[in-house]
Amino acid sequence: MKSTASPLTHARSSYKPKLPKVLAAPSIVVKKGKATRSISDEAEIQKLFPHTYGQSEVLFASGKGGIKCAKPIHVALVLSGGQAPGGHNVVAGLFDGLKKLNKKNKLTGYLGGPSGLLENKKVEITDSFLVPYRNTGGFDIIGSGRTKLETEEQYEAVIKNLTAADISALVVVGGDDSNTNAAVLGEYFKHRSVPITVVGCPKTIDGDLKNQQVEVSFGFDTATKVYAELTGNVQSDCLSAKKYWHFIKLMGRSASHIALEVALKCQPNITLISEEVAANKWTLSQVTEQMAQVVVSRSVDGKNYGVIVIPEGLLEFIPEMKKLIGTLNDTLAHNAEFEALEYAGAKIEYVKEHLNGENLTAFQSLPPSIQAQLLADRDPHGNVQVSKIDTEKLLIEAIELKLKALKKDGKYSGKFSAQGHFFGYEGRCAAPSNLDADYCYALGFTASYLAAAGLTGYLSSVRDLLKPAAQWRAGGIPLTMMMNLERRHGKDKPVIQKAMVDLGGKPFQTLVKNRARWAARDEYLSPGPIQYWGPTKVADQVPVTLQLERGK
Amino acid sequence: MKSTASPLTHARSSYKPKLPKVLAAPSIVVKKGKATRSISDEAEIQKLFPHTYGQSEVLFASGKGGIKCAKPIHVALVLSGGQAPGGHNVVAGLFDGLKKLNKKNKLTGYLGGPSGLLENKKVEITDSFLVPYRNTGGFDIIGSGRTKLETEEQYEAVIKNLTAADISALVVVGGDDSNTNAAVLGEYFKHRSVPITVVGCPKTIDGDLKNQQVEVSFGFDTATKVYAELTGNVQSDCLSAKKYWHFIKLMGRSASHIALEVALKCQPNITLISEEVAANKWTLSQVTEQMAQVVVSRSVDGKNYGVIVIPEGLLEFIPEMKKLIGTLNDTLAHNAEFEALEYAGAKIEYVKEHLNGENLTAFQSLPPSIQAQLLADRDPHGNVQVSKIDTEKLLIEAIELKLKALKKDGKYSGKFSAQGHFFGYEGRCAAPSNLDADYCYALGFTASYLAAAGLTGYLSSVRDLLKPAAQWRAGGIPLTMMMNLERRHGKDKPVIQKAMVDLGGKPFQTLVKNRARWAARDEYLSPGPIQYWGPTKVADQVPVTLQLERGK
């Protein structure tokens, strides 16, 4: 429980999220659309979700005889996966929605993520309990966790605990994987005739839970605003000191939405988009060669400085790196001969002797310090841990090597001094922007009505985010509708499809159109810190990518 | 020149800094106080500054027959040293003050710091030129630099360039060293009977240009607010995930004011203050032992997480480390035997063989990776570069080793997983807070009147910052008044005394009073991002340290 508060937290606690008109209506009815289909693999998905496949999209409307809780209900809540700004407002919206339906409705939070459901660790969420958390960042109200519910034993444990507590609905706040889990759980409950409705809520700062139906996941707006604030500040510093190349790595391993959004907000000199690298099958050497060329051409203009934005997951999108990692894992796991080697130098030599062809080339394209890091830091199974590699440092070193060679050939005469940054934890728990505060509150409120209506296997949906909040639409999307089959650990699994950066889409094309100019000139923008008060144009900005995707 | 602007930059450009009433007066007179003395070494300082020593403090007041520019004057401006938020508002205040005195007054900015004075690189600052920079962060309007003016040849070059441009006053915006330089230059001009007034302006995010007369240097408020925003966000993340110990290193090598201010704003579990470490002559092992004990006692409470704030300069305040560095430099410089060693392991063994006593103990107290870093990364003179050591990583590794030993002895059974952060460049060029925007504007405005009044060797002074801006006092402080002699590179030099954290002062004592509780409980505060609009309590906060130092 929060004992004290900063002046901002204190002032912000009285903020009343703007509620869509439809959710403020005294009586809310459900309008059903047409039956739905999964985005692909229809037959397989239908077979896996016999009870929840094909449900209609639903939209809420104001109308008589709407959703009711004549008998009080008890709803369970779990926060799943990484933190995202606005989670506490989902809880607040869910709570207020339930209380609007029936003052006696109850909300219980399960602690520390899905493991709380298994271990039956929980807390009742009351009005006074909620007060210090409204409009604040973090998931600390009940905590979050990454435990996956995958086995029948786990499902049965959840059924046992929820049934004992007389729970009639479970709201799962999470990303694509957690919502896939919610769908599986909802289907399992139906299969077992357990009367518990499962509703999902789209969370992730990464922005990769996005599709025809979901305009943006919550947290993306706030997190990217924090990263853009910092990137803008670093750009100003860069332009004032004219001394360094700043390499800014941004959180998000599976897609480059964050990097793209920050790039469009800040206009740095270079932005790497993993999806483009993968589509073009670029090698690491090709990527760094392109970057080095920008460094060289700027130095010709007397500019030995610049700012580069890098998505955290870059390496895993470079085909040769993926292959190299696989081969290294095969070669080194349980390899006594290799294990016996003590020094990095000897390990590197050993590996060079045991690689060949493309893999050897790829390994040799890595700077020695990264080669050493790759071989030193392996997981308990002996696998190389690509996630532990400091990609920004790798790129700095690789570019230094390129520039050294160019200098030797008389093709470069500038100075190159670099600073690396990683922005991640700084943005996941920021107090939600007005957009996220309102959006999350509406998502939670919507979830309460989906729960009360017994609409299982649905994702809480709030749309038309480019319009004023009063005009937002609210309703539910069948989770199976967003699914396809994917190969995971050698098995076909039904999953909600991750959204990658669309290389044909307007946001990426806007980057493409401008990047040569941004590389050459210093058209840095400084978005500044999130403003909770002030002119609407400042305090109520929506993501640039969303404007480009959904704007007219 | 800035071509475009973010919505915030755009909206903020119309902000009118609050001006002290006295500066808004139609006629401003100079009230002289008593003659002053240097803080120590009076005879020596007086001898070094025969023309400018002992001047009176001056205070501005509204009154008839005040400072005038009957004949237009031409003022030169230079930004010196590291960036600090608000620099552009100093320029704006200076410009507006000069124009108030006489519409025909001119302001010229010398480019890229003091080197611009030597190379005669400059730009005239006009009203339209200034527009996009008002209330923005960065020093990019004319750039900054670290060139020191120290030789007579340099002074003469400055005289030649300024005289050719018909400059009658030079305003130097900088920290303690740059203002010392300004004092020396002002004295030299007097000595040479050159009619150029030199005025200083107190800038530095580090907060170490502070004394009886200077309440705070500009930029400290904004930079610490940015670092506190990020620290608060990381704390929220920490408390939500309950998974990591976050080690946050904050910029500022020479004093720990930033760390102290952020600690008082955020209430992390552990805060290291370099001045305390030095005063107690703690060894690195003692420092990490204390930290490890907090980790252990929190783990007993089931808390395997926490947040630690570390000042960047820590290592240089640990006596044994200072000594070790010195010995290493003596031992390794131009040492062919050592240079021939290729691998880190061999270098470490070599050094161990050649150290003894305290130095050997100190070296052995470092984690192996840091030992390697210390020996690998040496400057062109062969010196160890202590500034390149990742102090946060050093502490993480050292604590890991301590915990391993404790675990072995059955005295610790927790989990320890850590994340390192460094916040520096992210805060130096943020758009100034309302306080810094107002304060800087007033400092620049005051400087224009000091320049017009021919008050050479003065620091622009704006005081009573805890009162509303209208009531702030403005005037000038003789630079020599803040000086003492210090031993630098084997010579006694007159310098403005750096303010270290006062271990007997209220700010540090507030930390001492609370730190056991903050270590045990999670009383994290999340100050959130700087607000330029909104409730006064949020948008117009002054530093906590300033409140404690100067409040009633």
Side-chain angles (χ1 to χ4, degrees):
Chain A
M1 190 65 177
K2 295 181 180 187
S3 57
T4 43
S6 74
L8 177 79
T9 305
H10 188 79
R12 187 73 178 153
S13 72
S14 59
Y15 177 75
K16 298 274 172 245
K18 302 186 265 297
L19 196 64
K21 224 167 119 185
V22 61
L23 296 178
S27 171
I28 298 171
V29 295
V30 173
K31 302 256 182 198
K32 288 204 175 189
K34 276 185 267 180
T36 61
R37 309 193 291 193
S38 61
I39 46 171
S40 65
D41 312 299
E42 291 173 43
E44 293 87 341
I45 307 269
Q46 180 158 25
K47 208 173 142 195
L48 290 163
F49 294 89
H51 300 90
T52 52
Y53 185 86
Q55 300 190 96
S56 309
E57 275 193 64
V58 303
L59 202 64
F60 290 158
S62 173
K64 277 184 193 161
I67 301 165
K68 262 188 197 148
C69 284
K71 216 184 104 199
I73 60 173
H74 187 186
V75 173
L77 167 72
V78 66
L79 305 178
S80 181
Q83 284 79 252
H88 289 165
N89 273 29
V90 173
V91 183
L94 178 59
F95 180 85
D96 291 350
L98 287 172
K99 291 297 176 185
K100 185 184 161 195
L101 280 158
N102 187 329
K103 283 254 171 290
K104 290 192 175 153
N105 282 345
K106 263 175 67 177
L107 178 63
T108 290
Y110 282 78
L111 301 174
S115 65
L117 292 169
L118 299 175
E119 295 159 12
N120 208 24
K121 290 188 179 158
K122 55 187 179 174
V123 64
E124 191 186 339
I125 294 167
T126 61
D127 205 13
S128 60
F129 183 81
L130 244 180
V131 168
Y133 295 98
R134 288 179 186 263
N135 308 308
T136 64
F139 275 12
D140 47 307
I141 185 167
I142 53 173
S144 182
R146 295 185 185 273
T147 301
K148 282 201 175 150
L149 305 179
E150 296 178 304
T151 66
E152 289 212 3
E153 274 155 314
Q154 288 177 321
Y155 301 156
E156 291 298 331
V158 173
I159 291 173
K160 192 180 144 232
N161 289 332
L162 295 187
T163 305
D166 202 21
I167 298 284
S168 67
L170 168 65
V171 175
V172 177
V173 175
D176 50 342
D177 278 348
S178 304
N179 277 297
T180 295
N181 241 267
V184 172
L185 206 58
E187 177 65 29
Y188 189 85
F189 289 171
K190 278 276 188 193
H191 159 71
R192 285 273 279 96
S193 304
V194 172
I196 301 178
T197 301
V198 182
V199 172
C201 236
K203 170 228 71 173
T204 169
I205 63 161
D206 295 346
D208 54 7
L209 174 45
K210 176 163 74 171
N211 50 46
Q212 199 64 34
Q213 290 76 35
V214 180
E215 295 181 1
V216 69
S217 53
F218 83 74
F220 178 75
D221 180 58
T222 305
T224 53
K225 277 174 175 162
V226 175
Y227 303 146
E229 171 199 357
L230 302 180
T231 301
N233 287 356
V234 168
Q235 287 179 162
S236 275
D237 205 299
C238 176
L239 189 59
S240 303
K242 302 192 171 172
K243 202 166 144 187
Y244 295 118
W245 274 88
H246 291 270
F247 286 64
I248 300 175
K249 184 174 71 178
L250 297 177
M251 196 171 248
R253 280 178 58 200
S254 54
S256 306
H257 300 287
I258 290 178
L260 182 55
E261 175 69 24
V262 170
L264 295 172
K265 279 188 158 91
C266 298
Q267 309 184 173
N269 301 106
I270 302 177
T271 304
L272 301 180
I273 298 296
S274 301
E275 289 85 342
E276 182 185 26
V277 172
N280 291 308
K281 297 192 175 63
W282 282 333
T283 62
L284 179 61
S285 177
Q286 285 174 312
V287 171
T288 51
E289 181 61 34
Q290 293 172 28
M291 297 168 82
Q293 283 311 326
V294 175
V295 173
V296 170
S297 70
R298 281 178 64 87
S299 83
V300 171
D301 296 339
K303 295 177 177 177
N304 290 305
Y305 61 88
V307 176
I308 299 175
V309 165
I310 305 153
E312 190 185 8
L314 179 71
L315 280 194
E316 290 158 275
F317 283 79
I318 298 178
E320 52 157 5
M321 285 295 140
K322 246 186 166 167
K323 212 186 256 175
L324 169 65
I325 307 289
T327 308
L328 282 177
N329 287 340
D330 293 346
T331 313
L332 305 181
H334 315 296
N335 176 335
E337 209 180 352
F338 178 79
E339 298 297 337
L341 301 171
E342 197 176 342
Y343 290 114
K347 288 184 186 178
I348 290 171
E349 290 313 313
Y350 180 91
V351 164
K352 282 186 186 166
E353 279 161 30
H354 290 77
L355 289 176
N356 49 43
E358 282 179 10
N359 285 324
L360 181 59
T361 311
F363 187 73
Q364 283 177 324
S365 78
L366 294 171
S369 69
I370 302 292
Q371 291 174 343
Q373 204 179 358
L374 202 57
L375 302 180
D377 242 6
R378 291 179 306 133
D379 74 10
H381 309 287
N383 285 332
V384 162
Q385 289 183 279
V386 64
S387 70
K388 290 222 172 167
I389 294 179
D390 294 328
T391 310
E392 72 282 19
K393 287 183 190 152
L394 182 161
L395 293 173
I396 290 171
E397 293 191 43
I399 290 170
E400 269 170 355
L401 292 176
K402 295 251 178 215
L403 293 175
K404 224 177 198 174
L406 289 168
K407 195 162 252 180
K408 221 173 158 185
D409 293 350
K411 291 175 181 158
Y412 171 65
S413 60
K415 274 184 207 168
F416 180 76
S417 192
Q419 296 283 349
H421 307 263
F422 173 42
F423 303 147
Y425 297 99
E426 296 77 6
R428 303 197 312 178
C429 286
S433 63
N434 288 342
L435 176 67
D436 266 328
D438 298 345
Y439 180 43
C440 288
Y441 188 79
L443 283 171
F445 208 98
T446 300
S448 71
Y449 274 75
L450 292 170
L455 288 161
T456 203
Y458 277 83
L459 184 75
S460 174
S461 163
V462 173
R463 305 200 218 178
D464 286 343
L465 297 175
L466 293 183
K467 294 186 182 165
Q471 296 170 39
W472 289 349
R473 286 184 294 154
I477 302 160
L479 288 163
T480 54
M481 185 184 180
M482 300 179 282
M483 286 189 174
N484 64 2
L485 285 187
E486 279 177 28
R487 199 91 192 148
R488 300 238 176 131
H489 304 292
K491 278 175 80 176
D492 279 337
K493 282 226 161 197
V495 295
I496 294 175
Q497 198 182 38
K498 244 187 222 310
M500 308 309 290
V501 167
D502 174 7
L503 299 181
K506 258 196 185 174
F508 179 71
Q509 285 303 319
T510 303
L511 175 68
V512 169
K513 209 171 70 188
N514 290 289
R515 64 184 167 188
R517 207 179 69 248
W518 294 349
R521 301 191 206 165
D522 303 332
E523 299 199 358
Y524 305 141
L525 294 182
S526 191
I530 294 174
Q531 296 298 299
Y532 300 102
W533 293 273
T536 300
K537 272 197 180 170
V538 178
D540 296 302
Q541 291 170 66
V542 300
V544 179
T545 46
L546 183 64
Q547 291 176 45
L548 290 170
E549 283 161 356
R550 307 268 174 169
K552 273 160 201 164
Chain B
M1 191 65 176
K2 295 183 180 185
S3 58
T4 43
S6 74
L8 177 78
T9 305
H10 188 80
R12 187 74 178 152
S13 72
S14 59
Y15 177 74
K16 298 274 173 245
K18 302 187 264 297
L19 197 64
K21 225 170 119 187
V22 60
L23 296 178
S27 172
I28 298 171
V29 295
V30 173
K31 302 257 182 200
K32 288 203 176 186
K34 276 185 268 182
T36 61
R37 308 194 292 194
S38 61
I39 45 170
S40 65
D41 311 300
E42 291 173 43
E44 293 87 343
I45 308 268
Q46 179 158 25
K47 209 174 141 194
L48 290 162
F49 295 88
H51 300 90
T52 52
Y53 185 85
Q55 301 190 98
S56 309
E57 274 193 63
V58 303
L59 202 63
F60 290 159
S62 174
K64 276 182 192 162
I67 301 165
K68 262 189 196 146
C69 283
K71 215 184 105 199
I73 60 172
H74 186 185
V75 173
L77 167 72
V78 66
L79 306 178
S80 181
Q83 283 81 252
H88 288 165
N89 273 29
V90 172
V91 183
L94 179 58
F95 180 86
D96 291 351
L98 286 172
K99 292 295 176 185
K100 185 184 160 196
L101 280 157
N102 186 329
K103 283 253 170 293
K104 289 191 178 153
N105 283 345
K106 262 174 69 177
L107 178 62
T108 290
Y110 282 78
L111 302 175
S115 66
L117 291 170
L118 299 175
E119 297 158 12
N120 207 24
K121 290 188 179 160
K122 56 186 179 176
V123 64
E124 192 188 337
I125 294 168
T126 61
D127 205 13
S128 60
F129 183 80
L130 244 179
V131 169
Y133 295 99
R134 286 178 187 265
N135 308 308
T136 64
F139 274 13
D140 47 306
I141 184 167
I142 54 172
S144 184
R146 293 185 186 273
T147 301
K148 282 201 176 149
L149 305 180
E150 295 178 306
T151 66
E152 289 212 2
E153 274 156 314
Q154 288 177 320
Y155 301 156
E156 291 297 332
V158 173
I159 290 175
K160 190 180 146 233
N161 289 332
L162 295 187
T163 305
D166 201 22
I167 298 284
S168 67
L170 168 65
V171 175
V172 177
V173 176
D176 51 342
D177 278 348
S178 305
N179 278 298
T180 295
N181 241 266
V184 172
L185 207 56
E187 178 64 30
Y188 190 84
F189 289 170
K190 279 275 188 193
H191 159 71
R192 286 272 280 97
S193 303
V194 172
I196 300 177
T197 301
V198 182
V199 173
C201 235
K203 171 228 73 175
T204 171
I205 64 162
D206 295 346
D208 53 8
L209 173 45
K210 177 164 74 171
N211 49 47
Q212 199 65 34
Q213 289 76 34
V214 180
E215 295 181 0
V216 69
S217 53
F218 82 75
F220 178 75
D221 179 59
T222 306
T224 53
K225 277 175 175 161
V226 174
Y227 303 146
E229 170 199 358
L230 302 180
T231 301
N233 287 356
V234 168
Q235 287 179 163
S236 275
D237 204 300
C238 176
L239 190 59
S240 303
K242 301 193 170 172
K243 201 167 145 187
Y244 295 118
W245 274 87
H246 292 271
F247 286 64
I248 299 176
K249 184 174 70 179
L250 297 177
M251 196 171 249
R253 281 178 58 198
S254 55
S256 307
H257 300 287
I258 290 178
L260 182 55
E261 174 69 25
V262 170
L264 295 172
K265 278 188 158 91
C266 299
Q267 307 184 176
N269 302 105
I270 301 178
T271 304
L272 301 180
I273 298 295
S274 300
E275 288 86 342
E276 183 185 27
V277 172
N280 290 308
K281 296 193 176 62
W282 283 333
T283 62
L284 179 61
S285 176
Q286 285 174 312
V287 172
T288 52
E289 181 61 35
Q290 291 173 28
M291 297 167 81
Q293 283 311 326
V294 175
V295 173
V296 170
S297 72
R298 282 178 64 86
S299 83
V300 172
D301 295 339
K303 294 177 177 178
N304 290 304
Y305 61 87
V307 176
I308 299 175
V309 165
I310 304 153
E312 190 185 7
L314 179 71
L315 280 194
E316 290 158 276
F317 284 78
I318 299 179
E320 51 156 6
M321 286 294 141
K322 247 186 165 166
K323 212 187 259 175
L324 170 64
I325 307 290
T327 307
L328 282 177
N329 287 339
D330 294 344
T331 313
L332 304 182
H334 315 296
N335 177 335
E337 210 182 351
F338 178 79
E339 297 298 338
L341 301 171
E342 197 177 343
Y343 291 114
K347 288 184 185 178
I348 291 171
E349 288 314 312
Y350 180 91
V351 165
K352 282 186 187 166
E353 278 162 28
H354 290 77
L355 289 176
N356 50 43
E358 282 180 10
N359 285 324
L360 181 60
T361 312
F363 187 73
Q364 283 177 325
S365 78
L366 294 172
S369 69
I370 303 292
Q371 292 175 342
Q373 205 179 358
L374 202 56
L375 302 180
D377 242 6
R378 291 180 305 132
D379 74 10
H381 310 286
N383 284 332
V384 161
Q385 290 184 278
V386 65
S387 69
K388 289 220 171 167
I389 294 179
D390 294 328
T391 310
E392 73 281 20
K393 287 183 190 151
L394 182 161
L395 293 174
I396 290 171
E397 292 190 44
I399 290 170
E400 269 170 356
L401 292 175
K402 295 252 177 214
L403 293 174
K404 226 178 198 172
L406 289 168
K407 195 162 254 180
K408 222 174 158 185
D409 293 349
K411 289 176 183 159
Y412 172 64
S413 60
K415 274 185 207 168
F416 180 77
S417 191
Q419 296 282 349
H421 308 263
F422 173 41
F423 302 147
Y425 297 99
E426 296 76 7
R428 302 197 313 177
C429 285
S433 64
N434 288 342
L435 176 66
D436 266 329
D438 298 346
Y439 181 42
C440 288
Y441 188 80
L443 282 171
F445 208 98
T446 300
S448 72
Y449 274 76
L450 292 170
L455 288 161
T456 203
Y458 276 83
L459 184 75
S460 174
S461 163
V462 174
R463 305 200 218 177
D464 287 344
L465 297 175
L466 293 182
K467 294 185 181 165
Q471 296 170 39
W472 289 350
R473 286 185 295 153
I477 302 161
L479 287 163
T480 54
M481 184 184 181
M482 300 179 281
M483 286 188 176
N484 65 0
L485 285 187
E486 279 177 27
R487 199 92 192 146
R488 301 238 175 132
H489 304 292
K491 278 173 79 177
D492 278 337
K493 284 225 159 196
V495 294
I496 294 176
Q497 198 182 38
K498 245 187 220 310
M500 308 308 290
V501 166
D502 174 6
L503 300 181
K506 258 196 185 177
F508 179 71
Q509 285 304 319
T510 303
L511 175 68
V512 169
K513 210 172 67 189
N514 290 289
R515 63 184 168 187
R517 206 179 68 248
W518 294 348
R521 303 191 206 164
D522 303 333
E523 300 199 356
Y524 305 141
L525 294 183
S526 192
I530 293 174
Q531 297 298 299
Y532 301 101
W533 293 272
T536 300
K537 272 197 179 168
V538 177
D540 296 301
Q541 290 170 67
V542 299
V544 179
T545 46
L546 182 65
Q547 291 175 45
L548 291 169
E549 284 161 355
R550 307 268 174 171
K552 274 161 203 164

